[in-house]
Structure formats: C-alpha cells, structure tokens
Amino acid sequence: AAWALRLPFLSRHDIATRQHHRPWQRLVLPFRDEDQRISHFLSVCAAPLLSCAQPSDPPQRRVTAPTAISPTAISPAALSPSAASPSEARARTQKLAWAKTGPQAVHSADELAAMPTASTHLAALEAITESAPIGVAVVSPQGTVLNCNRRLAAVLGTSGAGLHAGGMHQHFEQPAQLSQLLARVAGGESVVREDMLLRTSSEKAVWGAVSMSPIRFENAPAALLWLFDITRLKRVESELSDLANYDALTGLYNRRALLERGVRALNKAREAAKHVCVLMIDIDHFKSVNDDFGHGVGDEALRHIAHMMGDELRGADVMGRMGGEEFAVVLPATRLSAALDVAERLRMQVASRPVSTDTGPLPLTVSVGVASVLGREADLTAALNRADQALYQAKADGRNCVRAGG
C-alpha cells in the first residue's frame, strides 16, 4: 500500500529566512508501515526545522526600534542590484545585519532604506517637546538647566536663557527639595508627581507637579524633569477645603472641623499631661435681632461675635460655629478656673462693644457654659454636652452670665 503525504519542500535557507514562497508539492511515497512514514517525515521536515533553531542561525524575526541596526552594518555589495536574485539579496542583507547586531532584529533592505535618520529623529523629538503642554527640561545633578522647552520657561515666567543662567533652584520655594529629588534620581530612582510650591521670576507663587527620571545627556548623568502647572487645581482644592471645613459666614471652623481639630488638641494636651476645657457660647435674644432688624443685621452680629472671639482667644484655641447663634471653643492646656476667667472676659467684651448697623449701634450679650474634659473621655462629646447644660443654666439665671458644668 502507498501512503499519500503532503509536505512542503523547504530548504534550510528558506526556513532560516522565512521565505516560504515555494508551493506545496504532492508526494506519493511508498511506506510499508506507520513507523517508516513517521521516520521519513522526521528526516524530511522536522529535522530541518529543529536544526534551524540552533543558536548559530537567526531566531524568529521580531522588529525593534529603528536604532537597533546601524546603517554601517550593511555593506554596499549586499545591497547591489547585481545580486543573483531578490531572495538571495535579502538573505545576504539579513545575515550581514545579524552579524552586526546579534539577535535583536533582522531587517530587510527595504526596511533599512525606509528607516529615518538620527537627525530626523532629533527634529521630531524637538517638535514634540516644544508642543507639549507640560514643561520639560534636562537638569544636571547640580540643578543646572542643560536644555528645556518653551512651556517650562513660560510657567516659571522667564526665558530659556534665564533658566540656563540661573538654574532650577532659584524657582523652588524650598531649594532643598530640588536637591533631594536630584539625589534620588542620581541613585537610579524615578520620581513620580511630587507637588512643589515654586516661584516665578517675578516672585509669583505657582504650584507644579514634578516628575524626574535618570538619563544620560551628552555622555554624562542627568535628570529628565517634567513640570505640570497645577496652580489652578490647587486653588480649587483650597476652595473645596474651605467649604468643607469653614463656616462661610463667620470664617470659623464648622461643627465637623471643630470636633476633628478639637480631638487633635485634646490628644496633644494629654501627651503633655495638660487639662482641656470647652466653652459653649450663645447670643442672647438672637431671634429678636433677626425679627426686629432683619437677617442682614443678624449675619453682621454673628460676624461681630466671631471677630471678638478671635481677639480674645489664643492661637492654640480651637473656635467654631456649631450652628445658628451657637459657638464652641476648645481651650487646650487650660484648667477649669482659667477657662471660667476666659469666658468672663469674652462675655464682658461682647457686652461693652455693640455691633454697628445702619440704624445705629446694636447692643448684644452672650451666655456661656464651661466644662472640663475628664481624663477617661476619648473625645469632646461628653464635655460639650456638660458645657451645653451649663449654658442652659446661664440662660435660666437671666442670661449674660457664665456657668460651669459638672
């Protein structure tokens, strides 16, 4: 019996250069048994394939960057039209390129002819850099600007010549920060988005997101710096933070921020074994102020009280508006007796300084409750509740007075 076997007749040259251009041929080969058919297949097809995978021959082609092959790797004779055939010319070109570059890439003559030159690459890179929306610079380990684009000069309010002359340190609010970044890059580390406060040549503050990577420039170590102007983003972040933490009318902390910062002050005072007290302050007859004079005058009264609190209290004290006409104060490192004195001074200041309105001075008074934070309490909630109870007692005792809670 005869076995019909369809196999490609491929020479080793065809397999090595992947020029599988020969047609499939129909073979009718006599085989006595299955073993003979398999042996013949291995000798005809599998053995050449395996031999082509040896290190001495080129592996499967993969294309890499054009700069992987130097044009000098190809001799003029290899590219000459006098080559015996197109396939032989391609094979000779690829072998010459292989001998020069190793297993990185194998390119045909057509591919090599289409490769851009180094000068073309540099021109394209310069055009991309100049059109980039971020500042780009090459900086020496000492902070000298070796090269930069126009966007970087525009962000920093200077010119390329000015950057080359003065370096980058002059534009950092804290020049030591740039030195630290350059030291990290010199150690082989890449820096990804460090938000830095910068200064323009006119001393205008700008925020920049700085990234840096180690490179070699003119055969010397350097840092590639990217600078993205985030001044507007920081401004929006600040506005959002103000909305989240401050009372829009008085400028004091809102309830949430007061409790949060009050706990910080409490923990810090406990580390130093200090006492902490709280005040609850309420404007007397505030509803009558709104009803008789309008909400505009009521708003002015709230701002007036907040301003006097700022005058009377320390910078370490935490002040906030709890809501409506109620205010709260956290007094770190203050005993109960001292807190009562603070509350009394504030009450007297409010009573002696009426708020100015379009219809004339408007006298105001406040009632104050005082309480001490006990040693076992983890936050201000219980102390504020006791101060609030003392405040109700002051209201019941005729207002315009100070009372201490339990």
Side-chain angles (χ1 to χ4, degrees):
W3 291 83
L5 180 65
R6 181 181 292 274
L7 290 174
F9 264 79
L10 305 178
S11 67
R12 182 174 301 185
H13 166 74
D14 290 331
I15 295 174
T17 58
R18 274 74 61 194
Q19 303 297 329
H20 298 171
H21 59 278
R22 298 190 181 184
W24 294 83
Q25 299 181 10
R26 179 78 173 180
L27 302 179
V28 180
L29 304 175
F31 297 114
R32 294 182 179 275
D33 53 29
E34 182 76 12
D35 292 339
Q36 286 188 7
R37 187 179 72 83
I38 295 174
S39 298
H40 184 80
F41 170 79
L42 293 175
S43 63
V44 172
C45 185
L49 290 172
L50 293 174
S51 65
C52 289
Q54 299 301 317
S56 59
D57 289 328
Q60 184 178 358
R61 169 184 164 188
R62 58 191 181 99
V63 180
T64 61
T67 53
I69 292 186
S70 170
T72 58
I74 309 301
S75 64
L79 301 178
S80 172
S82 62
S85 68
S87 62
E88 291 180 1
R90 281 192 294 268
R92 188 178 306 166
T93 297
Q94 292 163 349
K95 288 180 180 180
L96 287 171
W98 176 268
K100 180 68 177 178
T101 64
Q104 296 299 318
V106 176
H107 297 274
S108 66
D110 295 338
E111 290 172 329
L112 289 172
M115 288 180 183
T117 62
S119 59
T120 305
H121 277 301
L122 290 176
L125 180 59
E126 182 178 357
I128 293 171
T129 303
E130 287 298 335
S131 61
I134 62 174
V136 183
V138 178
V139 184
S140 73
Q142 294 75 35
T144 303
V145 177
L146 305 176
N147 203 338
C148 68
N149 66 348
R150 287 192 296 266
R151 178 59 182 166
L152 180 66
V155 170
L156 298 178
T158 183
S159 63
L163 281 173
H164 285 289
M168 283 297 297
H169 282 94
Q170 63 176 334
H171 292 288
F172 276 70
E173 180 73 11
Q174 299 181 23
Q177 290 180 334
L178 176 59
S179 299
Q180 293 170 1
L181 294 182
L182 291 172
R184 290 166 59 185
V185 172
E189 180 182 353
S190 292
V191 177
V192 180
R193 176 145 187 182
E194 295 280 351
D195 292 355
M196 300 285 181
L197 181 59
L198 309 173
R199 293 285 175 183
T200 66
S201 297
S202 59
E203 295 300 319
K204 178 183 176 182
V206 295
W207 279 94
V210 180
S211 299
M212 300 177 74
S213 294
I215 62 168
R216 293 192 67 81
F217 182 76
E218 296 182 350
N219 204 30
L224 182 60
L225 178 146
W226 296 271
L227 175 65
F228 190 78
D229 185 2
I230 57 171
T231 305
R232 183 178 179 182
L233 176 62
K234 286 292 185 179
R235 186 181 303 116
V236 173
E237 287 180 354
S238 178
E239 292 172 356
L240 292 176
S241 177
D242 289 346
L243 290 174
N245 295 294
Y246 293 93
D247 175 58
L249 180 62
T250 63
L252 300 178
Y253 287 129
N254 58 24
R255 181 186 181 90
R256 184 195 63 81
L258 172 74
L259 296 177
E260 179 183 300
R261 284 158 176 78
V263 170
R264 294 180 191 173
L266 173 62
N267 294 334
K268 186 176 180 180
R270 281 181 172 168
E271 290 176 359
K274 301 291 185 180
H275 294 269
V276 177
C277 289
V278 295
L279 310 180
M280 287 293 293
I281 305 166
D282 187 88
I283 303 176
D284 297 328
H285 304 293
F286 184 72
K287 185 177 183 301
S288 298
V289 173
N290 280 331
D291 293 343
D292 297 341
F293 300 95
H295 289 280
V297 174
D299 291 346
E300 188 59 38
L302 292 172
R303 285 190 288 265
H304 180 70
I305 297 297
H307 180 72
M308 282 190 290
M309 288 172 61
D311 289 343
E312 288 296 323
L313 299 175
R314 304 167 299 179
D317 299 332
V318 184
M319 302 168 282
R321 182 186 176 195
M322 300 295 283
E325 69 273 21
E326 276 195 340
F327 299 84
V329 180
V330 181
L331 303 172
T334 305
R335 292 183 177 273
L336 183 59
S337 58
L340 288 169
D341 292 339
V342 172
E344 183 62 24
R345 288 200 309 269
L346 179 59
R347 184 198 66 81
M348 294 175 61
Q349 282 293 327
V350 172
S352 63
R353 293 170 58 184
V355 59
S356 299
T357 68
D358 294 339
T359 59
L362 174 64
L364 297 173
T365 61
V366 294
S367 299
V368 185
V370 185
S372 179
V373 180
L374 303 180
R376 65 179 181 274
E377 295 173 345
D379 56 30
L380 303 173
T381 304
L384 288 171
N385 287 336
R386 291 193 298 273
D388 200 39
Q389 292 298 320
L391 172 61
Y392 282 119
Q393 186 61 48
K395 294 283 190 181
D397 291 344
R399 295 181 172 84
N400 192 23
C401 61
V402 177
R403 293 293 183 265

